[in-house]
Amino acid sequence: MDKLLILDQLKISFFYTLQILLILFFFGVLFSYIEKKNSASIYRVFGMNGLIFTGFIGTIVHEFSHMVFCTIFRHEITEFALFRPYKSRYDGIMGYVNHSCNKNSIYQRVGNFFIGIAPIIFGTGLLILCMWILVPSAFDDVSAVFSKNMQYMSHIHSIKESINIYISIVAAIIMNMNQFKQTNVVGYI
């Protein structure tokens, strides 16, 4: 009986892992497409200076997050540029972190994965922190929706349910950050 239970748990774990990977892949492709369209529009309207202006904070946060995780996983940072606006005009690279690791160290090899996803972790954390500081009431509303949806997580049985929860969280963020949302403030006549 224990073997059957373990096998069932492995199947469920595999199913959830596959769901998460598919969702991450889907949204990664979607965000990549949106980013390319957005960059092309900014470039068309404002030129390279527009890309440099809009990429300033994001590029620094992105590259800095790679550096932090390189340090955590004891990789040697061989060269880096947090933001290189003038050289990027010629090669399209606004920032980079070159690093090396000991291929015999499992810890450092696993670190390559976390170094790769560091901007997602760090960037999301920074956005949450900024929202908490700058718009605390919206942060509280989004936190409530997030907490409610996390309770549903133990009852998910399909990819569709996972996507619905993700969409409801993103919709809550968008609705709470909408500067034109209806408020209870009485207007002047």
Side-chain angles (χ1 to χ4, degrees):
M1 187 67 175
D2 287 333
K3 289 182 182 180
L4 187 58
L5 182 64
I6 291 171
L7 186 60
D8 285 343
Q9 292 299 318
L10 284 173
K11 286 179 186 176
I12 291 169
S13 296
F14 177 75
F15 177 71
Y16 286 140
T17 302
L18 186 62
Q19 277 186 335
I20 290 170
L21 290 175
L22 287 173
I23 289 169
L24 288 174
F25 177 75
F26 171 76
F27 284 105
V29 169
L30 179 66
F31 292 152
S32 176
Y33 174 78
I34 291 169
E35 187 271 333
K36 285 179 183 174
K37 290 290 189 182
N38 187 41
S39 292
S41 295
I42 291 170
Y43 185 80
R44 188 174 53 254
V45 174
F46 299 107
M48 189 64 183
N49 289 336
L51 288 177
I52 290 170
F53 179 76
T54 59
F56 174 70
I57 293 173
T59 302
I60 292 173
V61 169
H62 181 102
E63 299 307 337
F64 183 72
S65 67
H66 286 308
M67 291 178 68
V68 168
F69 276 73
C70 281
T71 304
I72 290 170
F73 287 96
R74 298 192 318 252
H75 283 222
E76 180 186 350
I77 298 171
T78 55
E79 185 181 10
F80 72 92
L82 293 178
F83 188 62
R84 47 193 296 272
Y86 300 110
K87 291 182 181 178
S88 69
R89 294 176 188 266
Y90 304 106
D91 60 13
I93 299 170
M94 288 206 185
Y96 63 88
V97 176
N98 293 331
H99 59 96
S100 63
C101 70
N102 178 357
K103 302 284 187 209
N104 296 324
S105 168
I106 294 173
Y107 179 73
Q108 289 189 10
R109 286 195 334 229
V110 168
N112 283 323
F113 171 75
F114 290 99
I115 292 166
I117 66 167
I120 297 169
I121 297 167
F122 209 83
T124 302
L126 182 64
L127 288 173
I128 290 169
L129 178 66
C130 288
M131 187 177 185
W132 179 62
I133 292 169
L134 299 173
V135 281
S137 62
F139 176 81
D140 292 341
D141 293 343
V142 171
S143 293
V145 171
F146 184 80
S147 296
K148 180 179 145 189
N149 281 293
M150 288 300 105
Q151 293 171 358
Y152 296 140
M153 292 299 277
S154 61
H155 305 293
I156 291 177
H157 299 293
S158 71
I159 292 175
K160 182 181 176 185
E161 291 172 348
S162 299
I163 291 172
N164 285 339
I165 286 177
Y166 184 81
I167 289 171
S168 72
I169 292 170
V170 170
I173 292 169
I174 291 169
M175 293 303 292
N176 281 290
M177 295 305 292
N178 183 355
Q179 61 185 347
F180 300 111
K181 75 177 182 177
Q182 185 175 0
T183 62
N184 293 330
V185 177
V186 177
Y188 295 104
I189 299 177

